Amino acid sequence: MKVVVDMNKCQDHGQCVFAAPDVFSMDDDGHLAYVPDPADALRDEVEEAADVCPLQAIRIED
Amino acid sequence: MTGRILVAGASLGGLRAAEQLRAAGWTGAVTVVGDEPHMPYNRPPLSKEVLAGKAPFASLAFTPRSAAQDVEWRLGTKVVSAGLAERTVALDDGSTVSYDGLVVATGVRPRRLRCPGPLTGRHTVRTLADAQRLRDELTRPGARVVVVGAGFIGCEVAATAVGLGVAEVTVVDPLPLPMVGPLGALLARALLRRHEERGVRFALGVGVTGFEGEDRVTGVRLADGAVLPADVVVESVGSVANVEWLEGNGLDLSDGVLTDELLRVGGRPEAIAVGDVARFPNARYDGVPRRVEHWSIPTDTAKHAAKSLVAHLSGSEQELTPFAPLPTFWSDQHEFRLQSFGAPVLGLDDVRVLDGDPEGDVLVGYHLDGRLTGVVALGGHAVATSAARYRAQLLKQPALTS
Ligand SMILES: Cc1cc2nc3c(=O)[nH]c(=O)nc-3n(C[C@H](O)[C@H](O)[C@H](O)COP(=O)(O)OP(=O)(O)OC[C@H]3O[C@@H](n4cnc5c(N)ncnc54)[C@H](O)[C@@H]3O)c2cc1C
Ligand code: SF4
């Protein structure tokens, strides 16, 4: 599974980090970091993260 | 599985319901009926980045999940009535649709002020069309703006207007402080100061009695007799739930549609409500049914309610748990962000600074009987991170029932 975050949209809300901590994290400056090619087993988590992102910045490409 | 689930309302709640019905295994038809002409779009930026012109209107569209590709969208169409006993709805194009399952997702609309005066020049902010009209007027040189209502949306619009360089912005509210109802005095005072420092004026503790002007508004008359000159007025004085189409079914529609702890309507397992329109008990708290106008709620309610609806329609005897979401909301005003977790409003009588201080970045905790009910962070990244730590604690707490 491929995950793309539109960093022009992302405003570092961090909601995705709560939903999918294995894929999304905040670096020391409070900016989003993420795994672009997570295992398929994490699909539910990543879909949840995409749902809860207030800026709708997360796209899942199958 | 055969049959049809009809979703009334095509915004965030309706979209998430359609997606979650598929995720819960429903393979029958799904029809979403919405009176706006657009596919579901995101509302929060309408008072923030899109109103400010920092993001295009086109960026608001949601991308529906691929599993929901075969959902039928009947847009620009209004549901005018429903017969819950017959399981039918009537649409404004004259057609009647029967359903096996019903999702109520018709949200809310802005409450309007009833006082006398012209209508032209007075705005609300709920829809794309609203925001487009308001943006056109705010970007005219020299615009003087009066915002009626110092809640979140009013304060966001005031901040955005200042950022757009309008001539002046005044926020009017009968309460003594902005956003004091949901946040309490400590944060409300800090927010007032921040807004004033950035050029927003306030007329607090005074209501609006009327609007001046012939064809269009030229001023806002206050209860103390003062008149604020205005070219643009924004009314942000709360909302009214869109439930008229449900009348005549014996439902409690006193403030939105009342649901049980599984988000079912009128005790019917085949009818559920999601999003802003649903007045639901939260098993995490006192079990008192409330409507919650937070962006996270349409998704949370849709996830929970779709499961119970599909379980019923497929005849499975699945054990269903009461709905118990952890509320969360944010608001962006000027360059600062408010981030809330839990239910601050249940702990307004015992408000403590948990981190930082109200002059700068601050994390505030709300307590009931000594227990934390919610936290709100105001400021930048560090304080938001400390709020996130309390989020875990709030999630773990046992239910706050007495
Ligand atoms: C300007 C603004 C800023 C916001 N900012 C924030 C924020 O910063 N943080 C936050 O947490 N929340 C925010 N919110 C709240 C959030 O956007 C809402 O909670 C969310 O949109 C609710 O979604 P919903 O689908 O339940 O209802 P709605 O979005 O109201 O959707 C209901 C839909 O149903 C349609 N409809 C109504 N009646 C009928 C009918 N009879 N037949 C057919 N269709 C009908 C309506 O036209 C509408 O399209 C904001 C809201 C606004 C308006
Ligand atoms: S939730 Fe969205 S806006 Fe927030 S950090 Fe994640 S991608 Fe960015």
Side-chain angles (χ1 to χ4, degrees):
Chain A
M1 169 181 36
K2 252 188 89 193
V3 174
V4 183
V5 179
D6 181 342
M7 292 312 257
N8 291 322
K9 277 192 173 179
C10 171
Q11 291 188 4
D12 305 314
H13 271 269
Q15 293 292 339
C16 54
V17 181
F18 300 134
D22 301 319
V23 179
F24 301 94
S25 57
M26 286 291 175
D27 68 17
D28 291 340
D29 301 324
H31 296 306
L32 179 70
Y34 66 100
V35 182
D37 51 356
D40 263 332
L42 295 172
R43 179 171 294 270
D44 279 357
E45 263 188 39
V46 176
E47 283 187 341
E48 169 82 20
D51 279 356
V52 299
C53 169
L55 279 302
Q56 294 292 291
I58 301 171
R59 228 175 43 242
I60 303 165
E61 293 177 356
D62 301 79
Chain B
M1 264 176 265
T2 55
R4 170 180 314 281
I5 297 179
L6 185 119
V7 182
S11 178
L12 180 55
L15 170 66
R16 290 289 186 254
E19 292 174 338
Q20 290 301 319
L21 289 168
R22 288 284 179 254
W26 174 252
T27 53
V30 177
T31 301
V32 187
V33 182
D35 61 1
E36 290 187 75
H38 314 281
M39 282 294 281
Y41 59 89
N42 205 16
R43 296 193 198 280
L46 296 177
S47 52
K48 310 180 183 76
E49 30 310 39
V50 164
L51 188 61
K54 290 180 189 149
F57 281 92
S59 68
L60 296 175
F62 289 113
T63 309
R65 283 192 190 180
S66 48
Q69 250 158 17
D70 58 352
V71 166
E72 181 197 7
W73 297 90
R74 294 182 69 167
L75 302 174
T77 307
K78 189 171 181 153
V79 182
V80 287
S81 65
L84 295 199
E86 302 78 34
R87 286 196 258 120
T88 58
V89 295
L91 311 183
D92 67 350
D93 60 10
S95 61
T96 300
V97 183
S98 329
Y99 63 77
D100 300 279
L102 175 70
V103 181
V104 177
T106 42
V108 301
R109 61 180 181 271
R111 190 164 81 76
R112 297 306 305 253
L113 292 168
R114 291 249 193 83
C115 34
L119 275 172
T120 311
R122 289 164 57 188
H123 298 258
T124 56
V125 197
R126 184 80 196 170
T127 67
L128 236 159
D130 290 344
Q132 261 157 343
R133 275 191 297 265
L134 179 59
R135 184 171 156 74
D136 286 348
E137 292 214 4
L138 290 180
T139 47
R140 290 211 188 116
R144 294 163 304 174
V145 184
V146 172
V147 176
V148 186
F152 292 107
I153 291 179
C155 289
E156 287 176 0
V157 169
T160 302
V162 163
L164 282 170
V166 300
E168 55 183 57
V169 188
T170 308
V171 182
V172 185
D173 200 297
L175 293 175
L177 289 167
M179 298 166 274
V180 67
L183 296 179
L186 191 146
L187 268 185
R189 247 181 261 120
L191 284 160
L192 174 63
R193 191 176 48 77
R194 285 171 187 239
H195 275 285
E196 284 178 337
E197 282 168 3
R198 287 160 182 81
V200 179
R201 301 178 194 179
F202 286 84
L204 296 170
V206 61
V208 169
T209 54
F211 297 97
E212 306 271 310
E214 294 296 321
D215 304 329
R216 65 169 290 141
V217 72
T218 58
V220 177
R221 210 176 330 112
L222 306 183
D224 61 9
V227 174
L228 301 171
D231 307 298
V232 185
V233 173
V234 181
E235 298 177 24
S236 46
V237 291
S239 43
V240 181
N242 295 316
V243 291
E244 289 80 358
W245 63 280
L246 284 167
E247 280 166 7
N249 288 288
L251 301 173
D252 180 342
L253 303 174
S254 48
D255 177 26
V257 60
L258 178 68
T259 78
D260 65 11
E261 72 285 354
L262 296 175
L263 298 154
R264 290 171 167 175
V265 171
R268 294 179 175 274
E270 80 282 7
I272 57 173
V274 301
D276 281 7
V277 73
R279 182 157 56 95
F280 61 86
N282 186 337
R284 184 179 292 280
Y285 302 118
D286 49 13
V288 175
R290 292 184 184 88
R291 274 194 325 100
V292 183
E293 291 183 33
H294 297 164
W295 187 87
S296 59
I297 289 295
T299 301
D300 289 345
T301 47
K303 283 195 172 147
H304 207 86
K307 281 198 199 94
S308 74
L309 179 55
V310 174
H312 166 71
L313 293 177
S314 59
S316 94
E317 291 295 310
Q318 207 179 346
E319 189 64 42
L320 298 163
T321 51
F323 187 49
L326 183 76
T328 171
F329 75 85
W330 83 100
S331 175
D332 292 325
Q333 300 169 22
H334 307 286
E335 72 291 355
F336 53 86
R337 171 168 298 163
L338 282 158
Q339 175 68 62
S340 166
F341 297 108
V345 78
L346 296 180
L348 285 175
D349 291 334
D350 184 357
V351 180
R352 307 175 201 166
V353 172
L354 301 178
D355 202 354
D357 77 273
E359 299 294 307
D361 284 9
V362 65
L363 179 71
V364 175
Y366 298 78
H367 305 76
L368 181 68
D369 300 331
R371 271 171 64 190
L372 191 67
T373 64
V375 294
V376 179
L378 167 60
H381 155 66
V383 59
T385 308
S386 64
R389 274 199 296 278
Y390 284 95
R391 176 184 180 274
Q393 180 187 330
L394 288 163
L395 267 177
K396 269 189 261 143
Q397 264 180 9
L400 260 182
T401 40
S402 42

